[in-house]
Amino acid sequence: MYFGYSAEHEELRSLTRSLLERECSTAVVRSAPDAPALRALWRRLGEIGALGVLVPEELGGLGLDEVGMVALLIEAGRVALPLPVLEALALAGPVLAGPVLAGRTEHRSTLASLLRGEVTVAADPAGAGCFPHGRAAAYLLTGGWGGTGSIHLAALDTGHVEPVESVDPTRGLVRRTGPIGEPIADGPEVLRAWRRAVLGTAAELIGLARRMLDMAARYVRERRQFGVAVGSFQAVQHALADALVRIEFAEPAVLRAGHSMATGSPDAGRDVSMAKALASAAASAVARTALQCHGALGYTVEYDLHLFLKRTWALAGAWGAASWHRREVGRALSLTPH
């Protein structure tokens, strides 16, 4: 079975990569979450249709599937994009499209503004009232992300908001208290939304891992010790090879989970959990290897590697840590008690 990208997916991936490489440098990431360049980049993502991957064409989206979402979010992870693109693609876009298609026209303007890149939407992955990318968000999504309850939409300015320190300051984490807003989805859509968010996070982690491995490989080729490149040492080569194997093992699982979601497979929950478990473990291991290859330099905030390390540490536990998802896979395979 082929789990790769279609021609449409490849076209979107190529276009997105070109845009992000041009307009999301590490200098822009460092300036997050308040940089004007990021607001302009968000609009550009809207212009190329990237924010509506899972939104039907009749509502202004691209009408693609979860494999297309994976392709785009891998590219977002590759540059450590400090914007709520996961929240737009996996949650806000398709969740808002449901009520609009059902005739609730009051959400049409919100969806249209999101697709044009005029507003951002933040979501609380842990249900604790803390919202990554909430500093600049116009709306917030809360819900029973484990598959129960409803998803609610609230305007950010309808509650009390305060900034929160986090391991990755580029995500602009805030804590909000106040009304949870109006319900916009319930039933099976809540579980599908949660799985899309898990899958999207796994895709971002693959992109982050690829970038950190590239940075480490480039550094050990250039860094010289005892008159030779550090990368000529066998121990360094083996460490980087092991890191590459972890990525190459995890990425197909992420694509498989995207295919399962796109085709409505009854094993979608198992596959999504497998993808997140493998991607979290792989990215965390690559981060450790990249840091070791850079030596003490990797710890410094002056060096760009820390931007990708911190994003990896933040996302590895978001939408369920690897240990939680491994247990879910075990339950799906009847290997652990339900």
Side-chain angles (χ1 to χ4, degrees), residues 59-314:
L59 297 181
L62 295 182
L64 297 180
D65 58 21
E66 283 80 2
V67 179
M69 181 190 77
V70 165
L72 194 151
L73 288 174
I74 288 177
E75 298 305 323
R78 194 185 293 271
V79 298
L81 180 64
L83 288 167
V85 65
L86 166 72
E87 290 80 355
L89 270 61
L91 298 173
V95 169
L96 283 169
V100 173
L101 288 172
R104 294 175 60 181
T105 57
E106 68 270 23
H107 297 296
R108 184 178 291 272
S109 62
T110 303
L111 177 61
S113 296
L114 173 68
L115 297 182
R116 291 194 297 265
E118 296 172 352
V119 300
T120 61
V121 178
D124 175 11
C130 290
F131 297 84
H133 307 293
R135 286 260 301 262
Y139 299 96
L140 303 176
L141 285 175
T142 60
W145 298 122
T148 60
S150 302
I151 299 176
H152 294 79
L153 178 72
L156 181 70
D157 57 10
T158 58
H160 174 71
V161 178
E162 59 181 355
V164 177
E165 291 187 9
S166 68
V167 66
D168 181 7
T170 66
R171 295 201 303 163
L173 186 68
V174 301
R175 179 180 290 109
R176 176 188 179 273
T177 55
I180 62 174
E182 63 171 316
I184 59 172
D186 54 22
E189 178 54 27
V190 178
L191 181 58
R192 284 194 294 268
W194 183 80
R195 286 176 176 169
R196 287 194 301 266
V198 174
L199 173 63
T201 305
E204 284 195 77
L205 285 164
I206 293 297
L208 286 161
R210 291 279 186 196
R211 180 64 176 272
M212 290 185 294
L213 183 59
D214 289 346
M215 294 177 72
R218 183 171 62 250
Y219 180 78
V220 300
R221 285 195 298 266
E222 298 171 353
R223 177 75 166 91
R224 300 184 70 80
Q225 190 71 34
F226 307 112
V228 297
V230 173
S232 65
F233 301 143
Q234 192 174 65
V236 174
Q237 294 174 358
H238 284 183
L240 293 175
D242 288 343
L244 177 60
V245 168
R246 283 181 174 271
I247 298 172
E248 294 293 341
F249 192 70
E251 187 168 2
V254 176
L255 289 171
R256 173 66 173 94
H259 182 274
S260 294
M261 288 288 294
T263 58
S265 168
D267 296 323
R270 179 203 64 191
D271 295 341
V272 167
S273 283
M274 177 68 79
K276 182 57 163 63
L278 290 174
S280 291
S284 297
V286 173
R288 184 168 56 252
T289 297
L291 181 59
Q292 290 171 340
C293 287
H294 281 81
L297 180 65
Y299 279 104
T300 63
V301 295
E302 293 81 8
Y303 197 73
D304 288 340
L305 179 64
H306 86 97
L307 299 170
F308 301 90
L309 294 174
K310 290 178 177 178
R311 184 64 59 81
T312 298
W313 296 334

